[in-house]
Amino acid sequence: MSFTRSATWNLWRRVERIWGPAAVVWPHRIVTLDTVMCDLLHDLLRCGMVHWPHGHQTLDVHDSWAAFSGSVWTRADYQVKLQGSNLQLLRVFTRSQAARVEPNVILPLLANGVCTHGDVRDVLTQALEQPAVVERLTNRLAVTTRSLIVDEVFDANELDLQVIELAISAGIAVTLVGDPWQALYLFRGARPEKVHDLLGRARVQTMPLTRSFRWRTREQEELANRLRAGESVTLSSDGDWHERSDVVLGLFWKPLWDVGPEVLPIAFQSFKGGVEEAAATLLLNHVTRNIFNEDATYLREALTALAITDLELPRQLEDDLQAVVDLLRTPGREALVRSYEALTRAMGRISPRQMRPAHHAHTERLADLSKRLRRPGRPVPGLTAHQAKGREWEIVSVRLAPSEQAALEAGLSVEDDTHRKLYVACTRARQETIAV
């Protein structure tokens, strides 16, 4: 188990490469924690310990509600509340407004057995307050699972850790793999300090990793050791970094776009859910697939925002998207507007969502992409530390803001979230890390 689809996909490829195809088919599974949570809740629904409205025992689980409606600025929200074994669906109001899908859209869907992974986790968290549910799920894990390996355990939140502890108490062979220096998902509720509590409470044997098989140079090994020791570090710079680097990493997306046309980030920003942003992401995905053979980071979220459930549907637009790319190779505002209008027409063929007329706020992403398309030569891919986690390259450049360079020079602390991101970015290279 791991925490993101990209992480499980990387694990799947590694396992297949090392042990062969038989290691990635039944009875073996490589899944996200969200998949396991869905399995457990479905078991509670089938055995009657949780009753969904209208008796639904099989749920249609989505990443978010954006596939069903656009968001509005509102105080209205919803809540799923477990009263005994019965699930209640409530309309509530928050103190402040936020961009949300309206509960008038969500509540009928919930009543029909449609929900999000967040809803699954909310219901399961409440159900696990009941001793009978704890006993039921512990027994289920005992009879369905022989061994469990949890990757990146320091990204676990309290519900994740509770389920892991159920597995330990069920007598399953549990292996936890993780590094507190690489705990990056506090914004998702990760509680790295709680992992140590679990290890002590469950009397888990710990085996420190004393050797990395990534480093191919003494300099990279020393860099990692100095970072972990909190010593002052200054990365070397190189004017030809874009000619030598396999990837450029940063802590955020915007600084990667600001580096210049030598770098093509594989996302515009952390996805906000707008239709125009989603359409631009599909266009970016067309470009990154052709140049890097890699999907844009928020492709799935973009498809959801465009109300597209068939993941293969965008392939029907390849000719249309390439026509937009060709328009973007011409400089000037007129070509930019024409490309936006062509993208709007293309989206109209596959999505019910309506894009707004051309405006600087909507065409700015295409302008950034145009600079890369007009530059001769192959750009360097740009990723954030979050997307780079678990991956490695030969030579890595790191985009450093002045405050981040100062943090490296002062020495990093494992307790600081920004410092952990810097550590991850600076330790993805096998041979050399360069400052940009």
Side-chain angles (χ1 to χ4, degrees):
M1 302 192 301
S2 196
F3 293 86
T4 65
R5 291 189 185 95
S6 60
T8 55
W9 173 237
N10 285 330
L11 286 170
W12 192 93
R13 289 189 295 182
R14 288 186 186 183
V15 171
E16 184 185 45
R17 183 178 71 247
I18 296 170
W19 291 293
V24 291
V25 297
W26 189 90
H28 313 297
R29 302 176 74 198
I30 300 176
V31 297
T32 62
L33 269 293
D34 278 336
T35 300
V36 174
M37 302 302 173
C38 288
D39 289 348
L40 296 177
L41 180 56
H42 276 113
D43 179 69
L44 295 178
L45 292 171
R46 286 191 294 269
C47 75
M49 299 190 78
V50 172
H51 294 104
W52 201 271
H54 304 304
H56 290 286
Q57 294 185 1
T58 302
L59 305 176
D60 182 12
V61 186
H62 295 257
D63 289 338
S64 76
W65 292 114
F68 301 94
S69 175
S71 59
V72 296
W73 201 250
T74 179
R75 288 180 55 236
D77 203 353
Y78 76 98
Q79 188 178 75
V80 290
K81 187 172 182 179
L82 198 60
Q83 292 281 67
S85 63
N86 295 315
L87 189 68
Q88 294 185 340
L89 309 178
L90 306 175
R91 180 184 175 91
V92 298
F93 290 91
T94 59
R95 290 186 176 181
S96 57
Q97 290 188 334
R100 303 184 181 96
V101 175
E102 288 189 292
N104 288 344
V105 174
I106 294 173
L107 292 173
L109 291 166
L110 283 167
N112 287 322
V114 181
C115 66
T116 68
H117 285 291
D119 299 320
V120 169
R121 286 177 167 271
D122 286 346
V123 175
L124 197 56
T125 298
Q126 296 174 66
L128 282 169
E129 295 175 1
Q130 303 175 21
V133 170
V134 173
E135 182 180 2
R136 166 75 189 190
L137 295 185
T138 302
N139 291 336
R140 174 174 173 76
L141 289 169
V143 299
T144 61
T145 308
R146 185 187 68 179
S147 62
L148 180 65
I149 302 174
V150 183
D151 191 36
E152 303 288 6
V153 71
F154 285 96
D155 282 328
N157 63 25
E158 293 199 37
L159 177 60
D160 300 325
L161 294 172
Q162 190 173 4
V163 170
I164 292 168
E165 192 161 9
L166 290 182
I168 294 173
S169 64
I172 295 169
V174 176
T175 302
L176 309 176
V177 184
D179 178 0
W181 275 96
Q182 299 187 55
L184 300 188
Y185 288 96
L186 268 65
F187 66 95
R188 291 184 184 174
R191 300 292 300 274
E193 74 281 2
K194 294 288 186 179
V195 175
H196 296 290
D197 296 340
L198 169 62
L199 299 181
R201 190 167 56 247
R203 298 181 180 179
V204 175
Q205 178 188 7
T206 59
M207 294 176 285
L209 177 68
T210 57
R211 177 186 175 191
S212 171
F213 294 90
R214 175 176 297 161
W215 321 132
R216 295 183 179 174
T217 63
R218 178 177 296 178
E219 289 77 12
Q220 275 302 116
E221 182 176 3
E222 290 178 351
L223 171 62
N225 290 338
R226 289 173 64 86
L227 291 169
R228 295 176 78 92
E231 298 178 7
S232 176
V233 166
T234 301
L235 298 180
S236 62
S237 58
D238 187 335
D240 294 328
W241 60 266
H242 55 279
E243 301 291 342
R244 302 175 53 221
S245 300
D246 298 305
V247 68
V248 178
L249 303 181
L251 270 58
F252 305 98
W253 291 110
K254 189 178 185 305
L256 292 172
W257 286 100
D258 291 342
V259 169
E262 300 89 353
V263 178
L264 175 58
I266 62 172
F268 291 107
Q269 61 184 22
S270 296
F271 193 74
K272 302 295 190 297
V275 174
E276 294 77 21
E277 177 190 1
T281 298
L282 259 65
L283 180 64
L284 177 63
N285 181 71
H286 175 77
V287 175
T288 60
R289 275 183 172 174
N290 280 284
I291 298 178
F292 306 136
N293 193 30
E294 184 164 350
D295 286 344
T297 295
Y298 299 109
L299 174 61
R300 184 179 289 269
E301 289 83 351
L303 294 174
T304 298
L306 292 166
I308 298 172
T309 56
D310 182 356
L311 300 184
E312 294 301 314
L313 194 59
R315 293 186 180 274
Q316 299 178 14
L317 291 182
E318 287 187 352
D319 290 343
D320 294 323
L321 294 175
Q322 186 57 45
V324 178
V325 167
D326 293 339
L327 286 170
L328 287 174
R329 296 187 193 279
T330 301
R333 177 67 183 172
E334 181 181 349
L336 197 61
V337 171
R338 287 171 57 207
S339 65
Y340 181 84
E341 291 172 346
L343 181 61
T344 300
R345 291 191 296 273
M347 292 301 106
R349 296 188 179 96
I350 62 171
S351 172
R353 301 286 188 254
Q354 298 294 317
M355 290 176 61
R356 288 171 286 189
H359 182 275
H360 174 73
H362 310 322
T363 60
E364 185 177 11
R365 301 180 190 91
L366 302 192
D368 285 338
L369 191 54
S370 175
K371 295 173 186 176
R372 275 76 185 169
L373 294 171
R374 288 186 280 117
R375 176 185 178 272
R378 183 180 187 272
V380 184
L383 287 77
T384 64
H386 286 94
Q387 276 65 46
K389 184 178 173 182
R391 301 177 63 177
E392 56 189 49
W393 296 266
E394 294 300 321
I395 299 177
V396 173
S397 287
V398 180
R399 171 70 166 91
L400 292 172
S403 61
E404 295 157 5
Q405 181 63 59
L408 287 175
E409 292 173 355
L412 301 185
S413 167
V414 71
E415 305 299 329
D416 189 289
D417 188 41
T418 298
H419 290 192
R420 293 194 297 269
K421 294 174 187 175
L422 282 170
Y423 172 81
V424 169
C426 292
T427 55
R428 299 305 95 191
R430 300 186 189 102
Q431 294 189 33
E432 185 180 3
T433 303
I434 303 170
V436 176

